[in-house]
Amino acid sequence: MGAAEDEARSARSVERTETFSDAVLAIIITLLVLDLKPPQIRPGHLLRGLLEEWPAYLAYATSFLNLAAIWLAHRYVFERIRATSPPLNWANLAILFSSALVPFPTAVVARFLKAGNQGDIQTAIALYALVGALMLISAWIFYQYAVRHPELIHAGGGKYLRQERTKALIGTALFLGGGLLGYVSPWIAFALFLAVPLYTGITTPR
């Protein structure tokens, strides 16, 4: 009976952690849309005004896809988690902390891409890359801890977590590469930022 109670307690702990994380990520994704505002235009120029807001649309789509990839990875990983621990919970909070920063560089990139100053654009892209890399490094720490503590994961889950750990490192490299190549071209940077969720989606087991 004691073992059954421990198992039930562990399942409740995992469920609470996953539910809380889902709620936080949902709020973060919702906050992204707040930077999409109606353009300030003269009467009769709405279409032009909407088209001129393209930096906000690009930044929103990029951040939405990357946060969606984090949420999907988080969901599939927690299907393999059987119990939590204080360090694992802190690692999970680090993912949420870094993810919660994403709306800020998204707004910065949207504003300064539109402003057109080359130096400001490069700085904005570097900031975006730094936050994206921090988000994926936090995920890597989570996976690394879980892999090193097999008592916290279901049988067979270790292989999946090791794959996710590798993907987090590759995603980090893509973000940092985008931040550096943003000094050459913002379009190269955004291509790499968008490659992260694309790579995640393609490599996620069906």
Side-chain angles (χ1 to χ4, degrees):
M1 187 66 178
E5 289 179 352
D6 288 344
E7 190 71 24
R9 189 180 301 111
S10 295
R12 287 195 299 270
S13 178
V14 171
E15 183 178 359
R16 288 186 64 186
T17 301
E18 185 175 11
T19 300
F20 172 75
S21 302
D22 283 348
V24 172
L25 289 171
I27 292 170
I28 295 168
I29 289 175
T30 302
L31 289 175
L32 289 175
V33 80
L34 297 181
D35 197 50
L36 300 179
K37 298 180 175 64
Q40 302 296 317
I41 50 95
R42 301 191 307 275
H45 293 80
L46 178 57
L47 178 58
R48 179 179 177 181
L50 289 171
L51 293 176
E52 288 176 348
E53 294 296 319
W54 65 265
Y57 309 147
L58 176 61
Y60 171 79
T62 304
S63 294
F64 180 91
L65 290 173
N66 275 286
L67 285 170
I70 285 289
W71 177 77
L72 286 171
H74 194 274
R75 173 193 168 191
Y76 296 141
V77 163
F78 264 83
E79 291 177 355
R80 279 105 176 148
I81 300 294
R82 62 174 296 273
T84 60
S85 69
L88 191 71
N89 282 329
W90 278 109
N92 186 63
L93 287 170
I95 296 174
L96 300 180
F97 169 81
S98 53
S99 298
L101 295 173
V102 171
F104 172 62
T106 301
V108 171
V109 164
R111 175 179 173 183
F112 288 99
L113 271 179
K114 184 178 179 181
N117 180 274
Q118 187 66 19
D120 289 341
I121 291 173
Q122 292 168 347
T123 301
I125 287 177
L127 173 65
Y128 191 96
L130 182 63
V131 171
L134 179 62
M135 183 170 62
L136 288 171
I137 289 171
S138 300
W140 181 88
I141 292 171
F142 181 95
Y143 304 144
Q144 175 73 355
Y145 182 84
V147 166
R148 289 182 174 271
H149 293 81
E151 72 277 7
L152 299 178
I153 59 181
H154 291 293
K159 179 180 177 181
Y160 182 84
L161 287 165
R162 285 190 291 272
Q163 291 172 343
E164 291 301 302
R165 181 179 61 184
T166 300
K167 287 160 63 175
L169 284 179
I170 293 172
T172 300
L174 288 171
F175 266 109
L176 293 178
L180 291 174
L181 292 174
Y183 286 87
V184 177
S185 168
W187 312 120
I188 297 176
F190 269 94
L192 290 177
F193 297 156
L194 287 168
V196 176
L198 179 62
Y199 166 72
T200 300
I202 291 173
T203 56
T204 297
R206 297 295 185 268

